[in-house]
Amino acid sequence: MLTLLQQPLCPLSRFVRLILAEYDIDARLVEERFWERREEFLILNPAGTIPVLIADGIPPVPGAAIIAEFIEETRPVDEGVNGLLPMESGGRVEVRRLASWFNDKFHAEVSGPLVTERVFKRHMTLEQGGGPPDTASLRAARHNIRYHLAYIGWLARSRNWLAGDRLSLADLAAAAHLSSVDYLGDVPWNEDEAARVWYARVKSRPSFRPLLNETLAGIPPAKHYADLDF
Amino acid sequence: MLTLLQQPLCPLSRFVRLILAEYDIDARLVEERFWERREEFLILNPAGTIPVLIADGIPPVPGAAIIAEFIEETRPVDEGVNGLLPMESGGRVEVRRLASWFNDKFHAEVSGPLVTERVFKRHMTLEQGGGPPDTASLRAARHNIRYHLAYIGWLARSRNWLAGDRLSLADLAAAAHLSSVDYLGDVPWNEDEAARVWYARVKSRPSFRPLLNETLAGIPPAKHYADLDF
């Protein structure tokens, strides 16, 4: 059985959980307080970041993008199940470009700061970087999300799914990051109808249910968070 | 023919150039002043970053990691040439982990700040983020490189190449980033003999020669930069 070292509201961890759920692969979820920099954890991933996937017979797999490639390359190929990364080169480029857009760019500009400031910092000591949320950082993230939402809306209006005809890693990455931000009530859904409709489609997939049922102690989700008709 | 939009001292661009040279794939190099955010360039890569690889019949390929995967998946397989990404899962994980270590972590902590502050900012207007180098940023990068060099040395002492028995994307990524920093004279080679010996091996490969022969107007390389016996 696989083990995923993760945090419930970490968008990169959620991306991996969605991939595993889409492929119906079981994994044990273990919360890792990566900010504590446990020695045993740093041996598994010297970079000190989550998520990390532990599988038998191979080194620990660190990072959303590398885990996604690993799962794609090793999943049992089932005739009824479409892969989340297309077969042709052009399609692979576009899916990887958009997955990286969300896992790297959106994470740096929006979901990373919001989750760090509003969630992770509560658990950190001052030496670990804890303290009250940095309001300038929150303000920047809430400003930045608007152009990302417009970009998602533009993609959703021109294609069936974000990277093309089929659901792919691009949709799961975008939806994972939005789900963390939406839990915190920071997605201005009224700004882009096409983005909202696309998110409602991803949100209603069975793979999404575990994320919607998750509630953190002391941080209740936004009222509409688990609502499929928001 | 492929086209690579790049900057001569950008370590991520150098990583791609090394891969192409190892596989003996020709590409036209075009300098992109990405900080000018040309409209035509943003159409090719909305993220506004370099490198971007342009190939016929597929969308533009943005970013070092995605370009590396693309080249691996589409290169003509030649019997005499070993791939830079191993075939087995465990090896792929380790190569991708280390390539990301250098392309993401080392870039964020060392090579990105050094090249931005000392090279790119010279060409930028104030609105584009130009101005004199930020000394705090340079100091932090020069401090951070020391633990990275120790990590490279530790890997080089325990393995033949950084990720295992064979030259891989991990070596090219590490060497590409070090080469940019070395051009600027900011690698403290005397701190780790194993790292230095490993770098000398990569540096003496034919794929490295074009990088060593490159000189930027107004920014002469460190004296030992092109020296194979430094």
Side-chain angles (χ1 to χ4, degrees), chain A residues 156-167:
Chain A
R157 278 189 299 279
S158 37
R159 300 165 171 182
N160 191 21
W161 295 96
L162 294 192
D165 288 343
R166 279 197 188 153
L167 178 85

PDB file of all heavy atoms in Angstrom, chain A residues 156-167:
ATOM      1  N   ALA A 156     -11.801  27.371 -20.104  1.00  0.00           N
ATOM      2  CA  ALA A 156     -13.041  26.589 -20.009  1.00  0.00           C
ATOM      3  C   ALA A 156     -14.029  26.964 -21.110  1.00  0.00           C
ATOM      4  O   ALA A 156     -14.826  26.126 -21.545  1.00  0.00           O
ATOM      5  CB  ALA A 156     -13.678  26.779 -18.632  1.00  0.00           C
ATOM      6  N   ARG A 157     -13.996  28.219 -21.562  1.00  0.00           N
ATOM      7  CA  ARG A 157     -14.892  28.627 -22.644  1.00  0.00           C
ATOM      8  C   ARG A 157     -14.417  28.114 -23.997  1.00  0.00           C
ATOM      9  O   ARG A 157     -15.214  27.910 -24.898  1.00  0.00           O
ATOM     10  CB  ARG A 157     -15.013  30.162 -22.698  1.00  0.00           C
ATOM     11  CG  ARG A 157     -16.026  30.735 -21.693  1.00  0.00           C
ATOM     12  CD  ARG A 157     -16.276  32.224 -21.916  1.00  0.00           C
ATOM     13  NE  ARG A 157     -15.076  33.022 -21.748  1.00  0.00           N
ATOM     14  CZ  ARG A 157     -14.579  33.423 -20.583  1.00  0.00           C
ATOM     15  NH1 ARG A 157     -15.199  33.113 -19.458  1.00  0.00           N
ATOM     16  NH2 ARG A 157     -13.477  34.133 -20.514  1.00  0.00           N
ATOM     17  N   SER A 158     -13.085  27.885 -24.134  1.00  0.00           N
ATOM     18  CA  SER A 158     -12.595  27.486 -25.456  1.00  0.00           C
ATOM     19  C   SER A 158     -12.387  25.974 -25.597  1.00  0.00           C
ATOM     20  O   SER A 158     -12.130  25.490 -26.688  1.00  0.00           O
ATOM     21  CB  SER A 158     -11.300  28.243 -25.800  1.00  0.00           C
ATOM     22  OG  SER A 158     -10.481  28.415 -24.684  1.00  0.00           O
ATOM     23  N   ARG A 159     -12.502  25.236 -24.498  1.00  0.00           N
ATOM     24  CA  ARG A 159     -12.250  23.793 -24.547  1.00  0.00           C
ATOM     25  C   ARG A 159     -13.246  23.066 -23.664  1.00  0.00           C
ATOM     26  O   ARG A 159     -13.835  23.660 -22.769  1.00  0.00           O
ATOM     27  CB  ARG A 159     -10.845  23.495 -24.006  1.00  0.00           C
ATOM     28  CG  ARG A 159      -9.750  24.168 -24.788  1.00  0.00           C
ATOM     29  CD  ARG A 159      -8.470  24.143 -23.999  1.00  0.00           C
ATOM     30  NE  ARG A 159      -7.365  24.611 -24.833  1.00  0.00           N
ATOM     31  CZ  ARG A 159      -6.096  24.664 -24.433  1.00  0.00           C
ATOM     32  NH1 ARG A 159      -5.775  24.262 -23.216  1.00  0.00           N
ATOM     33  NH2 ARG A 159      -5.160  25.100 -25.236  1.00  0.00           N
ATOM     34  N   ASN A 160     -13.327  21.757 -23.862  1.00  0.00           N
ATOM     35  CA  ASN A 160     -14.207  20.938 -23.039  1.00  0.00           C
ATOM     36  C   ASN A 160     -13.663  20.826 -21.608  1.00  0.00           C
ATOM     37  O   ASN A 160     -14.377  21.045 -20.628  1.00  0.00           O
ATOM     38  CB  ASN A 160     -14.339  19.558 -23.693  1.00  0.00           C
ATOM     39  CG  ASN A 160     -15.422  18.725 -23.058  1.00  0.00           C
ATOM     40  OD1 ASN A 160     -16.322  19.267 -22.405  1.00  0.00           O
ATOM     41  ND2 ASN A 160     -15.333  17.412 -23.221  1.00  0.00           N
ATOM     42  N   TRP A 161     -12.377  20.479 -21.489  1.00  0.00           N
ATOM     43  CA  TRP A 161     -11.681  20.519 -20.200  1.00  0.00           C
ATOM     44  C   TRP A 161     -10.498  21.489 -20.354  1.00  0.00           C
ATOM     45  O   TRP A 161     -10.204  21.925 -21.472  1.00  0.00           O
ATOM     46  CB  TRP A 161     -11.205  19.112 -19.792  1.00  0.00           C
ATOM     47  CG  TRP A 161     -12.335  18.159 -19.545  1.00  0.00           C
ATOM     48  CD1 TRP A 161     -12.858  17.269 -20.436  1.00  0.00           C
ATOM     49  CD2 TRP A 161     -13.112  18.026 -18.350  1.00  0.00           C
ATOM     50  NE1 TRP A 161     -13.902  16.581 -19.865  1.00  0.00           N
ATOM     51  CE2 TRP A 161     -14.075  17.017 -18.577  1.00  0.00           C
ATOM     52  CE3 TRP A 161     -13.081  18.647 -17.089  1.00  0.00           C
ATOM     53  CZ2 TRP A 161     -14.994  16.627 -17.601  1.00  0.00           C
ATOM     54  CZ3 TRP A 161     -13.994  18.246 -16.113  1.00  0.00           C
ATOM     55  CH2 TRP A 161     -14.941  17.258 -16.375  1.00  0.00           C
ATOM     56  N   LEU A 162      -9.789  21.776 -19.282  1.00  0.00           N
ATOM     57  CA  LEU A 162      -8.804  22.875 -19.354  1.00  0.00           C
ATOM     58  C   LEU A 162      -7.711  22.662 -20.393  1.00  0.00           C
ATOM     59  O   LEU A 162      -7.273  23.602 -21.041  1.00  0.00           O
ATOM     60  CB  LEU A 162      -8.168  23.140 -17.982  1.00  0.00           C
ATOM     61  CG  LEU A 162      -9.092  23.682 -16.882  1.00  0.00           C
ATOM     62  CD1 LEU A 162      -8.258  24.160 -15.691  1.00  0.00           C
ATOM     63  CD2 LEU A 162      -9.985  24.811 -17.379  1.00  0.00           C
ATOM     64  N   ALA A 163      -7.253  21.416 -20.574  1.00  0.00           N
ATOM     65  CA  ALA A 163      -6.152  21.193 -21.517  1.00  0.00           C
ATOM     66  C   ALA A 163      -6.619  20.611 -22.846  1.00  0.00           C
ATOM     67  O   ALA A 163      -5.801  20.340 -23.715  1.00  0.00           O
ATOM     68  CB  ALA A 163      -5.089  20.295 -20.889  1.00  0.00           C
ATOM     69  N   GLY A 164      -7.924  20.379 -23.001  1.00  0.00           N
ATOM     70  CA  GLY A 164      -8.393  19.810 -24.259  1.00  0.00           C
ATOM     71  C   GLY A 164      -9.709  19.065 -24.099  1.00  0.00           C
ATOM     72  O   GLY A 164     -10.543  19.428 -23.275  1.00  0.00           O
ATOM     73  N   ASP A 165      -9.857  17.985 -24.876  1.00  0.00           N
ATOM     74  CA  ASP A 165     -11.131  17.263 -24.909  1.00  0.00           C
ATOM     75  C   ASP A 165     -11.427  16.463 -23.656  1.00  0.00           C
ATOM     76  O   ASP A 165     -12.582  16.160 -23.364  1.00  0.00           O
ATOM     77  CB  ASP A 165     -11.133  16.284 -26.103  1.00  0.00           C
ATOM     78  CG  ASP A 165     -11.257  17.044 -27.406  1.00  0.00           C
ATOM     79  OD1 ASP A 165     -11.660  18.223 -27.350  1.00  0.00           O
ATOM     80  OD2 ASP A 165     -10.939  16.463 -28.455  1.00  0.00           O
ATOM     81  N   ARG A 166     -10.374  16.064 -22.948  1.00  0.00           N
ATOM     82  CA  ARG A 166     -10.566  15.135 -21.842  1.00  0.00           C
ATOM     83  C   ARG A 166     -10.089  15.690 -20.517  1.00  0.00           C
ATOM     84  O   ARG A 166      -9.153  16.492 -20.478  1.00  0.00           O
ATOM     85  CB  ARG A 166      -9.744  13.870 -22.090  1.00  0.00           C
ATOM     86  CG  ARG A 166     -10.422  12.927 -23.027  1.00  0.00           C
ATOM     87  CD  ARG A 166      -9.763  11.567 -22.869  1.00  0.00           C
ATOM     88  NE  ARG A 166     -10.255  10.665 -23.887  1.00  0.00           N
ATOM     89  CZ  ARG A 166      -9.572   9.644 -24.354  1.00  0.00           C
ATOM     90  NH1 ARG A 166      -8.354   9.408 -23.904  1.00  0.00           N
ATOM     91  NH2 ARG A 166     -10.098   8.860 -25.254  1.00  0.00           N
ATOM     92  N   LEU A 167     -10.679  15.188 -19.455  1.00  0.00           N
ATOM     93  CA  LEU A 167     -10.176  15.467 -18.111  1.00  0.00           C
ATOM     94  C   LEU A 167      -8.711  15.053 -18.054  1.00  0.00           C
ATOM     95  O   LEU A 167      -8.340  13.990 -18.550  1.00  0.00           O
ATOM     96  CB  LEU A 167     -10.961  14.638 -17.090  1.00  0.00           C
ATOM     97  CG  LEU A 167     -10.507  14.792 -15.630  1.00  0.00           C
ATOM     98  CD1 LEU A 167     -11.179  16.001 -14.993  1.00  0.00           C
ATOM     99  CD2 LEU A 167     -10.784  13.536 -14.825  1.00  0.00           C
TER     100      LEU A 167
END
